[in-house]
Amino acid sequence: MKNTKRIILSVGLAFCMLPALAQQKKWSLKECVDYALKNNISIKLSGLDVATAEVAKSDAFGGFLPTINAQGSHSWNIGLNQNITTGLLENQTVQFTSLGANVGIDIYSGLQRQHRFSRARLAAVAAQYQLTKMQEDIALNVANSYLQILFNKENLKVQEQQLAYDNQRMDRISQLVEAGSVPKGDLLDIKATVATDTQNKIAAENTLLISKLTLAQLMQLENFQDFDTEDRDYPTDNTGVLFKTALEIYSKAREQRTEIKIAKQNVSVAEKDVKIAKGAYQPTLQGFYSFNTRAADSHRVVGYQQSRVGPTTTVGFVEGTNQLVLAPNYVPLLSKHAPIWDQFDANKGHSFGVSLSVPILNGFSTRNSVERAKIALERSRITLQQQELTLEQNVYKAYTDAQGALNTYEAAKATVTAREQAKEYARERYEVGLINVFDYNQAQTQFVNAQSELLRTKYDFIFKVKILEFYFGVPISQISDK
C-alpha cells in the first residue's frame, strides 16, 4: 500500500513538473529552422504545388495508355416494332438489351504525348525547386529573427547592468549628500539618470518580447508564451567565406542557387511547350476496336377474342400453347420466344481499324498557339538572364555589405575600448571634484551607447556573413557552436 502511494505521488509530481520543464526549453537555431520548415504555412502550400505537379505527371503518362470503355443498355418498346428475328414490323412488346466494349489507342499524334510527358517531368522538378526556394527564404527569415533575439537579449543585459550600476552610484551619492560632501544637485541628476535607465530597460524588455513573438509566429508555434532561444555566443565567421572573392562566390552561386535552377527549368518547360504546339501541325493516327452484342425478349400478337370476361377484358391464347391469358379490351395478346443467351451469342460482332486525321485549316489556331509558345519561351530566356544579373548584383552587394559590416564591427570594438577608458577617467576626475556629475553621466551614457552599438554591429555582421554563406551554398542553420 505504501509503495502504491509512493508511485502515485511520484507520477503526480512528474505531471506537476511538466509545465516547468516545458518552460525551460531553449530553442537552438537549427531547431527553430527545422520546426519552421515542417510547420510554416507558405512551405505547406508549396508542398501542395509539388503534389499537384506529380498528379499532372501521372496524367501525362496516362496519355500513352489505351482507352477502354464498356457500355450496356436495356429498353422496353411497346407497339409497332421490328421483329429482330423476322425483320417484319409487328405489334409487340420488346425488351432490348445491348452490350459493347470499345478500345482506342493513339498510334501517332505528332509526338505530343512524348513532349507532354517530358514537360510534366520538368514541371515537377520546377515545383520541387520552388519548394526548396520557399524553404530557403523561410530559413533565412528565421535566422534573421533568431539573431535579432540574441541582440535584444544582449542589449537588455547592458541596460540592466547600467541600471544596477547607476543604482549603486545613487546610493553612494545619497550618502555623500547626507554627509555634505557633494551638493544635492548631484543626487537629483543621478536620480534622473536612474529613471532614464529604467525606461531603457523596459523598452529593451518589450523589444525582446516582440522579437520572440515574431519568430514564434514565423515558425507557426502555437504555444509561444514561454518560447525562448538558447543563450550562447555565435561566431562571426567560421566558414572562411570572407576569404573568398566576390567572383568566386558568384560563380558558385550561379551553379547552386535555386532561383537560377528554377529559371533554367522554366526555359526547358517553355521549349517543350513549343514542341507540343508544333505537334498539332502533324496528322494523327488512331487505332480502334469495338465489340457489340444484343438480345431481345419479345411477345408477339396472337389475336383478339370476341368473347369478353367483362366490359373491359378480353380472353386470348398464348402462341404455341393452350394457355389462356386475360388482357384489356383490344390490347394485343403476346407470346414469348427466343432464348436470351442464345441471342447474345448469335448477335455478337467485332469491328476494328485505324482512323487518320490530317489538319488542313483551323482558323490559324495552331499557328497562333505556336507563336504564343515561342513568345513564352523568349520571355523565360530573358527571365533567366535577369535572374543571373540580379544574382550577380545581390552577391556583390552582400559581399560589400559583409566587408563593411566587418569594418563597422571592428570600429565599434575600438569605440567601446575608448569609451570605457574615457568613463574610467571621468570617474577618477569626478571623485576628486574636477568635473561635475553631469559630465560624468555623459561619459557613462556614451559608454553604454557604445556597448549597444557594438552588439548591433556584431549581430549585423553575423547576419550579413550568413547571407554571403547562403549564396555560397552553406545552409542557414549551420552556425557553428564552437
Side-chain angles (χ1 to χ4, degrees):
M1 185 67 180
K2 291 182 178 180
N3 292 334
T4 304
K5 290 183 178 180
R6 289 178 181 176
I7 294 175
I8 295 174
L9 180 60
S10 300
V11 173
L13 290 175
F15 276 105
C16 292
M17 292 176 63
L18 284 178
L21 293 175
Q23 293 177 5
Q24 294 172 1
K25 176 174 175 57
K26 301 285 187 178
W27 291 71
S28 67
L29 174 58
K30 186 177 186 305
E31 289 176 331
C32 291
V33 171
D34 291 342
Y35 190 91
L37 294 181
K38 293 179 181 179
N39 296 276
N40 185 268
I41 292 179
S42 298
I43 292 177
K44 289 182 179 180
L45 291 176
S46 294
L48 294 178
D49 292 337
V50 173
T52 301
E54 290 296 327
V55 173
K57 188 170 69 173
S58 179
D59 285 339
F61 178 77
F64 291 98
L65 302 178
T67 58
I68 302 175
N69 296 289
Q71 68 274 349
S73 66
H74 186 81
S75 62
W76 287 264
N77 299 317
I78 301 175
L80 188 63
N81 295 288
Q82 185 180 27
N83 189 314
I84 63 172
T85 303
T86 63
L88 300 177
L89 292 176
E90 300 177 0
N91 283 315
Q92 58 183 343
T93 295
V94 180
Q95 296 187 55
F96 186 79
T97 302
S98 65
L99 302 174
N102 297 295
V103 179
I105 184 170
D106 289 333
I107 300 175
Y108 182 77
S109 58
L111 300 179
Q112 287 183 316
R113 289 174 300 160
Q114 289 83 350
H115 293 319
R116 285 195 182 97
F117 183 63
S118 297
R119 183 197 186 282
R121 289 192 298 179
L122 293 171
V125 175
Q128 184 61 53
Y129 285 152
Q130 289 286 359
L131 174 60
T132 302
K133 180 65 169 59
M134 181 61 67
Q135 292 172 336
E136 291 172 346
D137 291 343
I138 295 299
L140 188 63
N141 291 335
V142 169
N144 184 25
S145 298
Y146 192 92
L147 294 175
Q148 186 64 44
I149 291 176
L150 297 184
F151 162 69
N152 291 334
K153 282 186 173 183
E154 294 295 329
N155 186 55
L156 177 58
K157 290 179 182 178
V158 170
Q159 301 302 329
E160 289 174 341
Q161 291 171 359
Q162 180 62 30
L163 176 60
Y165 177 77
D166 286 339
N167 274 321
Q168 293 176 356
R169 287 180 54 217
M170 184 175 65
D171 293 340
R172 174 61 178 165
I173 292 176
S174 179
Q175 295 173 0
L176 294 176
V177 169
E178 291 179 358
S181 300
V182 297
K184 187 177 181 179
D186 288 0
L187 180 58
L188 297 176
D189 285 336
I190 191 61
K191 285 184 176 180
T193 301
V194 170
T196 301
D197 292 342
T198 302
Q199 291 178 348
N200 292 337
K201 174 179 174 293
I202 294 174
E205 290 174 340
N206 291 335
T207 302
L208 175 59
L209 179 61
I210 292 174
S211 61
K212 288 182 179 180
L213 178 60
T214 300
L215 178 55
Q217 290 177 337
L218 184 62
M219 294 166 56
Q220 308 297 141
L221 191 65
E222 295 181 359
N223 184 19
F224 57 83
Q225 290 81 3
D226 301 319
F227 172 74
D228 199 3
T229 58
E230 288 182 334
D231 297 325
R232 64 173 64 181
D233 189 18
Y234 289 97
T236 53
D237 178 24
N238 63 295
T239 61
V241 69
L242 290 177
F243 295 103
K244 305 292 183 180
T245 64
L247 181 59
E248 289 176 326
I249 297 173
Y250 169 66
S251 298
K252 191 170 182 180
R254 189 176 178 182
E255 296 175 358
Q256 297 186 354
R257 286 303 306 137
T258 307
E259 56 265 34
I260 300 300
K261 293 180 181 179
I262 293 173
K264 289 181 178 179
Q265 202 72 5
N266 288 338
V267 171
S268 299
V269 170
E271 290 173 346
K272 291 297 180 181
D273 285 335
V274 173
K275 293 180 179 180
I276 292 172
K278 286 183 177 180
Y281 281 125
Q282 301 184 37
T284 59
L285 182 64
Q286 294 179 320
F288 64 88
Y289 167 78
S290 177
F291 169 79
N292 292 282
T293 186
R294 65 189 187 278
D297 183 12
S298 63
H299 292 78
R300 186 166 56 82
V301 173
V302 177
Y304 298 104
Q305 297 289 342
Q306 298 298 321
S307 61
R308 297 180 180 176
V309 176
T312 60
T313 305
T314 303
V315 178
F317 289 93
V318 176
E319 180 183 10
T321 68
N322 294 322
Q323 179 183 357
L324 287 173
V325 296
L326 301 179
N329 269 338
Y330 308 110
V331 173
L333 298 176
L334 310 176
S335 72
K336 192 174 184 179
H337 63 85
I340 298 297
W341 297 111
D342 292 344
Q343 293 183 57
F344 279 135
D345 183 62
N347 295 328
K348 64 184 179 182
H350 307 268
S351 64
F352 55 89
V354 294
S355 63
L356 178 66
S357 175
V358 180
I360 298 176
L361 180 64
N362 54 13
F364 304 115
S365 175
T366 302
R367 189 192 69 175
N368 292 339
S369 296
V370 172
E371 291 302 316
R372 281 192 292 268
K374 288 181 177 179
I375 293 173
L377 174 59
E378 186 62 24
R379 186 186 301 276
S380 63
R381 287 172 175 169
I382 294 175
T383 301
L384 173 59
Q385 296 175 1
Q386 181 61 52
Q387 287 288 356
E388 292 176 340
L389 290 174
T390 301
L391 178 63
E392 183 179 19
Q393 294 172 357
N394 291 339
V395 168
Y396 275 86
K397 183 179 183 302
Y399 186 84
T400 303
D401 289 344
Q403 295 291 341
L406 174 60
N407 295 332
T408 304
Y409 177 51
E410 294 295 335
K413 289 194 290 186
T415 301
V416 167
T417 301
R419 290 297 182 190
E420 186 176 16
Q421 293 173 352
K423 182 198 70 169
E424 290 301 317
Y425 181 67
R427 183 182 61 81
E428 293 173 357
R429 298 185 67 191
Y430 172 74
E431 290 178 350
V432 298
L434 294 178
I435 61 174
N436 58 30
V437 70
F438 177 79
D439 293 333
Y440 178 51
N441 287 340
Q442 283 292 102
Q444 179 69 25
T445 300
Q446 289 174 344
F447 172 65
V448 173
N449 291 339
Q451 286 181 305
S452 297
E453 181 64 12
L454 175 62
L455 292 173
R456 188 196 67 78
T457 57
K458 173 186 175 180
Y459 287 103
D460 181 66
F461 173 56
I462 292 176
F463 182 65
K464 284 182 169 57
V465 169
K466 293 305 118 186
I467 293 178
L468 203 58
E469 292 174 345
F470 177 67
Y471 286 121
F472 197 62
V474 179
I476 287 296
S477 60
Q478 286 189 7
I479 294 182
S480 175
D481 298 337
K482 299 180 181 178

